[in-house]
Amino acid sequence: PCTTWAAAMPRLYTGYTRSREFAKAATIVEALVQEHPTEAPYYEESANYCGKLNNLEESVFYFERAFALAPSFNTARTLFAINLKLDRTAAALPYLDYAIAHNEQELDLISVKSALLQVLELQKQAATEPGNVDILNRIAEKYYKMGNKDGAEMYVQKVLRAAPGNRAALALQDQLKKV
């Protein structure tokens, strides 16, 4: 029997999802985004598949489009988290601000913002003093306390490349292995 494009796409998507072929499912959803460029759920679905494939750059791209079409607390929180994971603190800030203003779950986001602003300030210092391992350790520690394991690990590695025996970085590295 002849199948229409509109009927084939969901079937392909469902089949790929069931068989856990996420790259192929992502391709289908990306095609659906092209067909439905004003519908946020398609962007969110594409972003989720990009995340499953650990393509965080693409995930941010699609979540940003979804957020532009239909801002929500959950999308803002997701964009904040992914941007932090990618060490994009300045990009994370507007999404955190949105989440604070629309905090349906009454999470303690004010303390998270305070920590984020401290990280931003430390990153500015690190940019002017790239060899200062104390600043890098402080960023790693802040990230760790914020629950940003990836960011903390990134900065621990920066410290250990510059100062292989740095005790603070080695101690934090041990803590991160336990998480």
Side-chain angles (χ1 to χ4, degrees):
C2 188
T3 302
T4 66
W5 174 263
M9 294 300 277
R11 282 190 199 145
L12 279 171
Y13 169 76
T14 301
Y16 290 144
T17 301
R18 284 188 183 145
S19 63
R20 303 186 62 78
E21 294 181 76
F22 298 135
K24 291 178 180 177
T27 301
I28 299 299
V29 177
E30 288 171 358
L32 291 170
V33 164
Q34 298 302 315
E35 283 189 48
H36 306 277
T38 61
E39 296 180 40
Y42 290 105
Y43 288 94
E44 289 174 4
E45 193 68 15
S46 189
N48 286 324
Y49 275 105
C50 290
K52 286 178 186 179
L53 296 168
N54 204 31
N55 185 346
L56 299 182
E57 300 283 341
E58 285 288 310
S59 185
V60 167
F61 172 82
Y62 285 111
F63 273 125
E64 284 177 341
R65 297 311 174 274
F67 186 81
L69 291 168
S72 73
F73 173 83
N74 285 332
T75 305
R77 187 175 67 174
T78 300
L79 278 163
F80 164 73
I82 296 171
N83 276 305
L84 268 189
K85 194 173 199 167
L86 293 169
D87 192 36
R88 295 181 182 164
T89 49
L93 189 56
Y95 298 110
L96 179 57
D97 285 338
Y98 181 92
I100 289 169
H102 301 86
N103 192 356
E104 305 150 358
Q105 299 175 7
E106 299 182 15
L107 302 174
D108 178 20
L109 298 176
I110 300 299
S111 63
V112 173
K113 182 174 181 176
S114 174
L116 178 65
L117 292 173
Q118 291 171 26
V119 169
L120 275 167
E121 192 57 42
L122 288 167
Q123 287 175 329
K124 287 178 188 173
Q125 291 175 21
T128 61
E129 303 174 53
N132 188 329
V133 294
D134 179 53
I135 293 171
L136 299 177
N137 268 326
R138 289 170 53 203
I139 294 170
E141 186 67 33
K142 285 284 179 201
Y143 269 157
Y144 176 72
K145 288 180 180 175
M146 292 173 72
N148 182 6
K149 182 181 177 188
D150 293 327
E153 287 174 343
M154 180 187 318
Y155 279 89
V156 164
Q157 291 307 312
K158 286 181 181 187
V159 171
L160 293 176
R161 277 193 298 275
N166 186 281
R167 289 184 184 186
L170 291 170
L172 185 54
Q173 187 178 50
D174 285 341
Q175 287 180 311
L176 287 164
K177 287 177 183 174
K178 296 175 187 174
V179 176

